[in-house]
Amino acid sequence: MRFEFASLTLLASLLVAHAVPIAHDEIVSKTADGLHLLSLAEDEDPVWKTEDEKLELLRQGVQFFDVTYTYEVEQELPNRERLAATAFPSPSHQTAVNAILDTLSISNMQTYLSGLTAFNNRYYTTTTGAQASDYILNTVSDIISGRSDMSVSLYKHSWAQSSIILKIAGSAASTPVTIIGAHMDSINLNNPTSGRAPGADDDGTGTVNLLEALRALVAADYKPAKPVEFHWYSGEEAGLLGSQAIATAYSRDGVDVYAFMEMDMSGYFAPGTEEVFALEADYIDSGLNAFLGQLIDEYAAFGWTMDIPCGYACSDHASWYKVGYPTTFPYEAVTGDDDPYIHSASDTTSVNGFSWTHSLEFAKIVAAFAYELAPPA
């Protein structure tokens, strides 16, 4: 999900400050009434909104965290001072990585995406959204069949659609973990629950980039010395719900995350524009962004540039950044040259500007990111 910045006037009109932390009883009562607790800006207290008000914010392009289910846990987390940018090693496993990248298949990604877009929509509260979770779970289970060092499970939430977590155990150490994520939900802003939302690009492409990279790594008998996880998140389109739940839980439990990369949209660049990876400029770790640039230089068919800031809560990487983990996010195109058909029935692979060869390069970066940051012993 990507939106342009909302006007400052609109944001200012929506902010109502709480003098003290919100009480547990208030959260229970208002949630039971169907209200959502939304964080609309950094360093501002969250506000309660109805479902209709929340949807109207989405339609106006206002980005937010829906913290209804994570607010109390976040209040208990220690205040983390953000450290200086982490230094990551330069790519150094070219022979092994290139051999894996050569096996990546557009045809496989097309097959995976056809399964996802067959659902009327993948909205987080719907039956079809839950079925899409099961589809990904079953697909990953088939990919990792026979690997005792790999496991996949649903990460259940209080809404219908689950997130999915694939874990690859480290052969030499149990920590730190390298994580790559995408969101598997979709939305039609005109009618979220029953409107057609194929979500081919947003974020079907990111979802299948992870699936195909995982398949190639498994086929190469990849066994990292330190653990790797692939995540597919529920409810990103409704306020980064799934990624917040997981990132907050990892922070609460003291999980040591080495690096997190988000893959949200990789299939489109406007006709006539330069084909690039657009590296997000905010809510990221500059050291990890520098490593990502090196990775693209080494393994991709085209280059990279910095995007304009994507703003508050623009995608799932922000959930991990918020709790102190190093993050990065390569986007399909510079903002303005990206897919204008998202959040509608028109988000399909048939639009002018969609490119499978473009998306394949992002799958390459997924596989390379995992291997270079968590190589075999």
Side-chain angles (χ1 to χ4, degrees), residues 229-279:
E229 295 183 7
F230 283 28
H231 294 182
W232 293 267
Y233 299 120
S234 165
E236 188 269 355
E237 300 288 9
L240 314 187
L241 287 164
S243 61
Q244 277 191 97
I246 296 170
T248 302
Y250 276 41
S251 180
R252 177 198 62 205
D253 296 342
V255 177
D256 186 2
V257 176
Y258 183 42
F260 174 85
M261 180 171 69
E262 174 70 0
M263 299 300 289
D264 187 354
M265 300 171 56
S266 68
Y268 182 97
F269 64 104
T273 64
E274 183 180 4
E275 188 173 12
V276 294
F277 290 81
L279 274 55

Side-chain angles (χ1 to χ4, degrees), residues 42-72:
E42 199 166 358
D43 300 323
E44 296 282 354
D45 289 330
V47 293
W48 290 104
K49 294 292 177 184
T50 66
E51 180 70 24
D52 287 344
E53 288 171 331
K54 177 179 172 179
L55 181 56
E56 186 57 31
L57 291 175
L58 291 172
R59 288 170 175 158
Q60 294 181 32
V62 178
Q63 298 170 170
F64 54 79
F65 290 103
D66 184 336
V67 297
T68 309
Y69 308 99
T70 56
Y71 176 82
E72 290 184 286

Side-chain angles (χ1 to χ4, degrees), residues 166-236:
L166 173 281
K167 294 186 176 183
I168 308 174
S171 64
S174 61
T175 191
V177 60
T178 295
I179 303 173
I180 307 167
H183 73 87
M184 45 79 59
D185 62 315
S186 66
I187 189 172
N188 182 319
L189 285 177
N190 290 324
N191 188 345
T193 56
S194 59
R196 175 71 174 130
D201 193 22
D202 188 11
D203 182 29
T205 50
T207 294
V208 303
N209 288 159
L210 267 64
L211 290 172
E212 179 58 7
L214 174 64
R215 185 207 60 76
L217 289 165
V218 171
D221 200 30
Y222 169 63
K223 295 179 179 178
K226 296 177 182 178
V228 172
E229 295 183 7
F230 283 28
H231 294 182
W232 293 267
Y233 299 120
S234 165
E236 188 269 355

Side-chain angles (χ1 to χ4, degrees), residues 27-367:
I27 291 174
V28 171
S29 174
K30 290 188 180 294
T31 302
D33 290 339
L35 297 178
H36 301 271
L37 187 60
L38 307 185
S39 174
L40 297 163
E42 199 166 358
D43 300 323
E44 296 282 354
D45 289 330
V47 293
W48 290 104
K49 294 292 177 184
T50 66
E51 180 70 24
D52 287 344
E53 288 171 331
K54 177 179 172 179
L55 181 56
E56 186 57 31
L57 291 175
L58 291 172
R59 288 170 175 158
Q60 294 181 32
V62 178
Q63 298 170 170
F64 54 79
F65 290 103
D66 184 336
V67 297
T68 309
Y69 308 99
T70 56
Y71 176 82
E72 290 184 286
V73 177
E74 287 184 15
Q75 300 310 299
E76 298 172 358
L77 297 178
N79 289 326
R80 294 189 175 204
E81 256 188 63
R82 192 162 299 280
L83 302 176
T86 306
F88 293 89
S90 298
S92 60
H93 300 85
Q94 287 84 349
T95 299
V97 171
N98 279 318
I100 293 170
L101 302 190
D102 286 344
T103 70
L104 292 169
S105 163
I106 287 176
S107 177
N108 287 340
M109 292 197 296
Q110 290 171 328
T111 298
Y112 299 143
L113 190 62
S114 292
L116 285 173
T117 57
F119 298 105
N120 181 54
N121 64 55
R122 304 189 299 277
Y123 195 59
Y124 78 110
T125 62
T126 64
T127 299
T128 52
Q131 291 169 345
S133 292
D134 290 336
Y135 169 79
I136 294 172
L137 176 71
N138 293 335
T139 301
V140 174
S141 296
D142 288 343
I143 289 172
I144 68 172
S145 178
R147 286 291 296 265
S148 61
D149 59 333
M150 297 184 181
S151 63
V152 63
S153 61
L154 298 178
Y155 190 101
K156 292 188 175 294
H157 305 288
S158 59
W159 52 92
Q161 184 182 63
S162 298
S163 298
I164 302 104
I165 296 180
L166 173 281
K167 294 186 176 183
I168 308 174
S171 64
S174 61
T175 191
V177 60
T178 295
I179 303 173
I180 307 167
H183 73 87
M184 45 79 59
D185 62 315
S186 66
I187 189 172
N188 182 319
L189 285 177
N190 290 324
N191 188 345
T193 56
S194 59
R196 175 71 174 130
D201 193 22
D202 188 11
D203 182 29
T205 50
T207 294
V208 303
N209 288 159
L210 267 64
L211 290 172
E212 179 58 7
L214 174 64
R215 185 207 60 76
L217 289 165
V218 171
D221 200 30
Y222 169 63
K223 295 179 179 178
K226 296 177 182 178
V228 172
E229 295 183 7
F230 283 28
H231 294 182
W232 293 267
Y233 299 120
S234 165
E236 188 269 355
E237 300 288 9
L240 314 187
L241 287 164
S243 61
Q244 277 191 97
I246 296 170
T248 302
Y250 276 41
S251 180
R252 177 198 62 205
D253 296 342
V255 177
D256 186 2
V257 176
Y258 183 42
F260 174 85
M261 180 171 69
E262 174 70 0
M263 299 300 289
D264 187 354
M265 300 171 56
S266 68
Y268 182 97
F269 64 104
T273 64
E274 183 180 4
E275 188 173 12
V276 294
F277 290 81
L279 274 55
E280 295 309 329
D282 52 349
Y283 302 96
I284 53 85
D285 179 272
S286 59
L288 192 55
N289 249 20
F291 167 77
L292 178 59
Q294 291 181 321
L295 209 64
I296 293 166
D297 289 341
E298 185 65 46
Y299 294 116
F302 48 83
W304 60 273
T305 189
M306 293 303 299
D307 200 359
I308 63 173
C310 72
Y312 189 65
C314 83
S315 191
D316 291 309
H317 67 297
S319 297
W320 294 89
Y321 185 89
K322 180 168 66 165
V323 295
Y325 293 125
T327 61
T328 191
F329 174 17
Y331 191 46
E332 65 183 10
V334 174
T335 299
D337 296 338
D338 52 344
D339 196 334
Y341 302 102
I342 63 172
H343 305 157
S344 75
S346 299
D347 184 1
T348 70
T349 61
S350 63
V351 299
N352 187 26
F354 188 93
S355 168
W356 276 113
T357 58
H358 185 72
S359 185
L360 180 66
E361 297 305 309
F362 286 76
K364 290 180 181 180
I365 294 307
V366 173

